[in-house]
Amino acid sequence: MQIRDLPFPDPGDPDVRSGPRFLLWLGRGQLGGQLKALGWGLLQQCTLAGFPLGVGLGVQAVVERSGSRLALAGGLILVLGALMAVGDTMLHRAAITNWITAAARVQQLLVRRTAELGAALTRRVAAGEVVAVSTGDVEKIGWFVEALSRFAAAAAALLLTCVGLILYLPSLGLLVALAVPVLALAVLPLLPPATRRADLQREKAGRATELASDTVAGLRVLRGIGGEELFLGRYRRASQEVRRAAVRSARMWALISAVQVLLPGLLLIALVWYGTVLARDGRIEVGQLVTVYSAATLMLFPLRHFEEIAMAYSFSRPSAQRAVRVLSLRRAARPSTVDAAPTGDLYDPVTGLLAPAGLFTAVVCGDPDAAGRLAERLGGHAQDEETDRTGPDRDGPGDRPPPGTPSVLLGGVPLDELPLDSARTSVLVQDKDPVLLSGTLRELLDVPASGLVDAGAALDAAQCGDVLDALAQTSTHRDGDPMETRITERGRSLSGGQRQRLALARSLVTDPGVLVLDEPTSAVDSHTEARVAAGVKGLREGRTTVAFASSPLLLDLADRVVLVHQDTVAAVGTHRELLRTEPRYRAVVTRDTEDPPMAPPSFTAPHAPDGGHTTHTTHTVGKTAEIEERA
């Protein structure tokens, strides 16, 4: 495959049983490129090994004062030089192609797995580790795949050279042939400690990258609490640990390089001494000694490939292991049984939550973490994070549902039986901390959508007028078009409320069959919150919308409100009805710190008569009246 043909139409199904097996799978996937590089490498190495023959013939021709043989030697050197230039050029081209295509294949696999897992990926693998795999690790994996063919060519050239020297001059050729395996294998005892040190360096570098990523993501909060110096100190210590580990690793590799310089030097000294003795006694010619010495000297170049392949493998093996850790994750979805996306009510059999089709349902949950998990379940993500056989489980005991937990139903059809594309088209979940990718506002809103909601209507519903004005002022476009203004990474140039509203507008543009919003107005003031709630309800009229919130301004606009207590639906009704009849609901909405009265497990019907609860305090009643008045 050529670089111009990238990306791959299908990167394939990788072998993720282990890092070495993954590297082997990559090598097999590029067998044609490997054979091409091997062929050009053999041409380059063999022509390089042929130079000593031409030099030896030339020296012997000078000794014997033979002009014709000297011209023959010169012509042979010219031909070998031209062939070596062609071989070296094409080898470099083929090797770089192998490197880039291997790295591109790994990146495509990572992107495909990231798209399949979605938000479940970062719950199993740290974001810093994913970044490290998709950048530095990908290059190291490509390096090993690329170096493999050059190493094979060098090993074949060494073998041919040794055989040729034995046939050309057995007395010296045998000495070289016996010494080459020793030179090639002398560094093997040093590789395990070098590999361990390299692994330690990679581990510490991954931790430092993760710490840096977390620090940058929370920089605004750190500045607010004055924690910059604390986290800077942590990163400084992590960076110094990486430096010390890198120095220890470099010392070992320096020792390996020193061994590969010292031993060949001793071989050349022994070869010159013994060859001089043979030439002085007249048992070999001077030209033969020059030929063998030149061949032994040039053999140092292919011997370097043994060191390189050892380094490439030691660096790429942990990188491949980290890539396997990500690629081995799977969605635990059942086989798809439905082709078309269903419509109807959204129902969670675990909690009993029902979101009727076409209505705006608000969900109140006193535990924010439980609300987040429920929102993810409604999006079909409860079973997304299953297979991870290469590392420890990062989740806490309460972060995942137990095996066999029933899936959320949409129109009576389990979401985990839908094809991934259909499930994501049917239900969209916007979590409480949405991410804005860098690019223009137009690119931000260019998402897969139904086409029924345009960007302008979504921005109006999300009350993004002030955001557009701010973007227009900083726009470098000649017309000051805010849609062409670039948004920095994660929207760091915007406030929290502006980022939240832009993310909400993006979700509204998508116009899914079911839209699940987790605290969509937590970062805006009360006046903006009321307008946003009204805009969302108006734009989503006739579409199923579920909003996790505790704001009375939003709850009062909902068609129905559901109280979830201890992972079970405890009450259903309108906002005003629940304020009057459900103490636990009042405690959450009014932020009452006093313990609410205990209620029976079964909840009161939405239209139950008033006066069912009389044990609340006067303080709570006052808050209730205030909330009702605001609503």
Side-chain angles (χ1 to χ4, degrees):
M1 186 173 191
Q2 300 297 321
I3 296 178
R4 62 174 175 268
D5 298 326
L6 295 175
F8 290 93
D10 180 13
D13 187 17
D15 187 344
V16 294
R17 288 176 290 179
S18 66
R21 289 179 181 272
F22 178 66
L23 292 174
L24 180 62
W25 176 83
L26 277 178
R28 290 202 308 266
Q30 296 182 203
L31 188 58
Q34 294 287 349
L35 292 177
K36 184 183 298 184
L38 176 62
W40 292 118
L42 284 174
L43 176 61
Q44 186 237 15
Q45 294 287 346
C46 291
T47 52
L48 180 65
F51 271 100
L53 178 61
V55 173
L57 290 176
V59 171
Q60 191 62 33
V62 171
V63 171
E64 297 178 357
R65 299 181 180 275
S66 173
S68 59
R69 295 180 63 181
L70 180 63
L72 177 63
L76 177 61
I77 292 175
L78 287 176
V79 172
L80 290 175
L83 290 175
M84 189 177 70
V86 173
D88 188 61
T89 301
M90 299 307 296
L91 171 62
H92 181 76
R93 180 186 179 92
I96 294 300
T97 300
N98 288 338
W99 187 340
I100 293 177
T101 50
R105 187 188 297 271
V106 177
Q107 284 182 329
Q108 281 188 249
L109 291 171
L110 290 170
V111 170
R112 184 175 68 180
R113 184 66 67 235
T114 301
E116 289 177 357
L117 294 173
L121 175 63
T122 53
R123 294 198 298 271
R124 298 304 304 275
V125 181
E129 186 172 348
V130 177
V131 172
V133 171
S134 60
T135 53
D137 287 338
V138 165
E139 293 186 3
K140 294 178 179 62
I141 292 172
W143 176 28
F144 174 76
V145 174
E146 172 271 321
L148 193 59
S149 56
R150 291 191 291 109
F151 164 73
L158 281 175
L159 179 62
L160 293 175
T161 302
C162 290
V163 172
L165 288 178
I166 293 175
L167 296 177
Y168 176 73
L169 191 62
S171 56
L172 292 180
L174 187 61
L175 174 62
V176 174
L178 293 176
V180 165
V182 177
L183 298 180
L185 302 178
V187 298
L188 287 183
L190 300 176
L191 289 181
T195 301
R196 287 193 297 269
R197 293 187 180 189
D199 290 347
L200 180 61
Q201 178 193 353
R202 295 296 173 278
E203 180 183 352
K204 291 185 178 296
R207 292 176 181 174
T209 301
E210 181 180 349
L211 180 60
S213 177
D214 292 342
T215 302
V216 172
L219 187 58
R220 185 185 297 270
V221 177
L222 291 177
R223 287 175 176 173
I225 63 176
E228 304 101 311
E229 290 300 326
L230 174 63
F231 275 78
L232 179 61
R234 290 181 180 177
Y235 181 76
R236 184 181 290 113
R237 289 191 295 272
S239 177
Q240 290 303 312
E241 290 180 3
V242 174
R243 181 188 62 81
R244 287 190 290 269
V247 170
R248 292 186 71 248
S249 179
R251 286 173 179 169
M252 184 58 68
W253 289 112
L255 177 60
I256 292 175
S257 298
V259 169
Q260 290 204 325
V261 171
L262 175 63
L263 295 183
L266 295 177
L267 170 63
L268 292 179
I269 293 174
L271 186 64
V272 170
W273 175 80
Y274 184 56
T276 303
V277 172
L278 295 179
R280 185 186 60 187
D281 295 342
R283 286 183 285 177
I284 63 172
E285 297 178 348
V286 175
Q288 291 177 320
L289 174 60
V290 172
T291 298
V292 175
Y293 174 80
S294 300
T297 302
L298 292 179
M299 286 172 68
L300 300 182
F301 291 98
L303 278 174
R304 283 290 182 180
H305 289 283
F306 284 79
E307 176 190 357
E308 182 187 8
I309 196 65
M311 290 183 64
Y313 180 73
S314 65
F315 279 86
S316 63
R317 186 183 61 80
S319 296
Q321 194 65 38
R322 281 194 292 269
V324 163
R325 172 173 169 77
V326 177
L327 295 176
S328 62
L329 300 176
R330 293 289 189 275
R331 287 174 57 91
R334 305 173 189 171
S336 299
T337 59
V338 180
D339 296 331
T343 59
D345 300 341
L346 185 69
Y347 176 69
D348 178 23
V350 175
T351 61
L353 173 63
L354 174 67
L359 297 184
F360 184 7
T361 301
V363 181
V364 176
C365 186
D367 183 359
D369 294 334
R373 291 193 297 269
L374 178 54
E376 291 171 359
R377 276 189 52 76
L378 294 180
H381 302 309
Q383 306 292 333
D384 280 359
E385 36 184 285
E386 196 54 40
T387 304
D388 183 9
R389 302 187 179 124
T390 61
D393 191 353
R394 291 180 174 268
D395 294 334
D399 288 345
R400 286 186 295 164
T405 301
S407 171
V408 172
L409 307 178
L410 178 61
V413 178
L415 285 180
D416 59 7
E417 293 186 7
L418 294 177
L420 182 60
D421 294 340
S422 298
R424 290 182 172 172
T425 302
S426 302
V427 183
L428 173 66
V429 178
Q430 177 181 303
D431 61 24
K432 64 184 64 178
D433 187 22
V435 176
L436 302 183
L437 302 178
S438 59
T440 64
L441 179 57
R442 190 181 307 279
E443 292 170 341
L444 175 70
L445 300 178
D446 185 14
V447 293
S450 66
L452 301 178
V453 178
D454 59 34
L459 291 169
D460 289 341
Q463 301 300 309
C464 294
D466 62 319
V467 184
L468 296 178
D469 293 339
L471 293 177
Q473 292 178 1
T474 59
S475 176
T476 58
H477 198 265
R478 61 179 180 273
D479 298 329
D481 186 0
M483 300 296 291
E484 301 299 331
T485 303
R486 293 196 63 82
I487 298 174
T488 57
E489 182 185 4
R490 289 181 172 265
R492 301 190 195 283
S493 59
L494 304 172
S495 67
Q498 291 174 330
R499 288 197 300 270
Q500 191 175 57
R501 282 177 284 159
L502 284 181
L504 177 59
R506 179 179 58 187
S507 300
L508 294 175
V509 167
T510 304
D511 189 35
V514 178
L515 176 60
V516 181
L517 304 173
D518 189 3
E519 295 289 351
T521 58
S522 59
V524 299
D525 60 84
S526 58
H527 298 288
T528 306
E529 182 180 32
R531 295 196 299 269
V532 169
V536 170
K537 182 177 181 181
L539 190 64
R540 295 284 301 173
E541 188 70 32
R543 309 283 274 172
T544 307
T545 306
V546 181
F548 287 80
S550 59
S551 168
L553 296 172
L554 188 149
L555 296 173
D556 193 54
L557 290 175
D559 297 316
R560 64 199 305 269
V561 180
V562 179
L563 172 65
V564 176
H565 180 67
Q566 296 181 351
D567 295 329
T568 303
V569 172
V572 177
T574 65
H575 169 59
R576 297 174 186 268
E577 290 171 348
L578 294 179
L579 277 177
R580 292 192 301 268
T581 62
E582 180 54 58
R584 289 170 295 186
Y585 181 80
R586 282 198 302 271
V588 176
V589 173
T590 63
R591 277 69 167 179
D592 192 355
T593 58
E594 299 180 9
D595 294 333
M598 296 300 296
S602 60
F603 61 88
T604 307
H607 299 287
D610 296 343
H613 302 277
T614 60
T615 58
H616 54 271
T617 64
T618 304
H619 177 66
T620 304
V621 173
K623 285 189 175 181
T624 303
E626 180 184 351
I627 294 298
E628 289 184 340
E629 182 179 354
R630 288 178 58 193

